[in-house]
Amino acid sequence: MVETSVINPIDKEALRNEFQNAQPFPFFCIDNFLDDEFANQVLGAFPSYVRARQVGKEFKGVNEKGKVQVTDSNLFAEPVQRLNQALASPEFLDLLSYVTGMPNLLADDQLVGGGIHQTGPRGHLDVHVDFNYIKERDLHRRLNILIYFNKGWERGWGGNIELWDREVKNCAHSFSPIFNRCVVFETNEISFHGVSAVRCPEGVSRKSFAAYYYTKEAPAHWTGKSHDTIFRARPEEKWKGRVLMPLERATKLATRAVSKIGKMVGVRNGDGRPPGV
């Protein structure tokens, strides 16, 4: 058994068996993950959705909308700081390494893409695989951990974390984001996952805390090619998959190209200012 001050005891042998035999890719789900009193402290320390929008990053795209993330740990209240520290502790990293068979796991002190997540009414996150590499730090992304802090969450409100097969034809597992539930899964080239449409009432938000783990060593499936998040349309989302998603990708590529040209012209100007300013 493994125990930290805020994480409930975990049977690492049972969890290792569950993770390594899971389909369609390795994962596990634990309810009552944190000490109940501490979990309530974390929930009480979450910023309001309005406040999170003020200090965090809000997504408004075709594939990810109504979601806000606060990744700067300096903005976390003390209970959330403690949670972040527990998930990055040597003891928990050792547990994850044993369960997953991934040695030398590293926590991300910058919480790229992680931290406090909140999604408001009518928000959604489409099916995707995550970015696989941080070039600047030579880190290979290996695991996602998601902990949910939603008391009284009703089934009709959606917001389920969904795990899909590699063809994104069938949803293999769907977990409601209920209070103190934890889901961990491997980040690889077939770990397609998403969040079903959030239909909670106004004044309510879907709350979670996310962290990601890395290794310096490349995983066995590494092809040598890094990529950003790759989205896929669900089977019923034909219009989105054929029209909206390609249009958004084209728009992003055009924006990046314009930005790159602007920087090149700025360098040629030699004064560090945008042209014409």
Side-chain angles (χ1 to χ4, degrees):
M1 307 294 281
V2 174
E3 183 176 11
T4 71
S5 60
V6 298
I7 298 174
N8 282 326
I10 292 174
D11 184 338
K12 64 180 185 180
E13 297 297 340
L15 207 60
R16 178 183 173 94
N17 181 68
E18 178 181 346
F19 181 87
Q20 298 192 2
N21 289 287
Q23 294 294 332
F25 48 84
F27 80 93
F28 64 75
C29 176
I30 300 177
D31 287 341
N32 302 312
F33 176 67
L34 300 171
D35 171 81
D36 191 64
E37 181 179 352
F38 176 69
N40 279 288
Q41 291 174 6
V42 174
L43 172 58
F46 259 59
S48 68
Y49 183 63
V50 172
R51 177 59 179 166
R53 292 177 67 186
Q54 293 171 344
V55 301
K57 177 181 179 180
E58 183 175 3
F59 294 85
K60 300 179 180 180
V62 169
N63 298 118
E64 195 169 7
K65 188 174 183 179
K67 173 186 164 185
V68 180
Q69 63 184 31
V70 182
T71 60
D72 184 353
S73 61
N74 293 314
L75 300 175
F76 297 167
E78 191 273 338
V80 185
Q81 291 270 14
R82 287 178 62 199
L83 173 61
N84 187 38
Q85 292 165 5
L87 298 179
S89 67
E91 296 83 3
F92 192 64
L93 289 173
D94 286 346
L95 167 68
L96 287 177
S97 284
Y98 181 79
V99 167
T100 64
M102 301 177 187
N104 306 316
L105 284 171
L106 301 170
D108 180 15
D109 57 3
Q110 297 183 28
L111 284 176
V112 174
I116 293 172
H117 289 184
Q118 294 200 54
T119 303
R122 298 174 299 282
H124 66 271
L125 174 60
D126 288 340
V127 178
H128 63 283
V129 291
D130 295 303
F131 69 85
N132 61 351
Y133 184 61
I134 299 180
K135 182 178 180 180
E136 297 76 14
R137 290 184 280 159
D138 190 25
L139 293 176
H140 296 270
R141 185 164 171 177
R142 305 300 301 278
L143 286 174
N144 290 12
I145 184 168
L146 306 165
I147 306 168
Y148 300 101
F149 294 93
N150 304 292
K151 281 198 168 182
W153 191 264
E154 298 183 12
R155 180 175 297 181
W157 294 355
N160 286 17
I161 173 71
E162 300 176 335
L163 309 182
W164 287 73
D165 62 15
R166 68 173 65 204
E167 292 84 18
V168 192
K169 299 294 185 183
N170 299 288
C171 178
H173 303 277
S174 180
F175 299 104
S176 180
I178 60 174
F179 182 71
N180 208 6
R181 169 170 282 173
C182 170
V183 176
V184 173
F185 56 90
E186 180 177 352
T187 306
N188 58 37
E189 300 308 304
I190 63 165
S191 57
F192 284 99
H193 61 284
V195 176
S196 63
V198 176
R199 298 183 292 271
C200 59
E202 295 292 337
V204 178
S205 65
R206 178 188 186 272
K207 302 175 180 67
S208 62
F209 188 90
Y212 311 123
Y213 299 98
Y214 298 81
T215 59
K216 285 289 188 180
E217 301 79 15
H221 60 262
W222 172 246
T223 64
K225 296 181 179 180
S226 62
H227 61 73
D228 293 331
T229 303
I230 300 173
F231 286 97
R232 292 285 185 268
R234 293 175 173 88
E236 71 276 12
E237 297 173 330
K238 291 182 173 58
W239 172 255
K240 178 180 285 188
R242 294 173 181 173
V243 179
L244 299 181
M245 290 169 63
L247 180 61
E248 180 157 285
R249 282 196 294 270
T251 301
K252 287 182 178 179
L253 288 173
T255 301
R256 290 175 183 173
V258 170
S259 177
K260 185 175 181 180
I261 292 171
K263 289 179 180 178
M264 292 172 64
V265 173
V267 169
R268 285 198 294 269
N269 284 348
D271 58 8
R273 295 179 300 163
V277 176

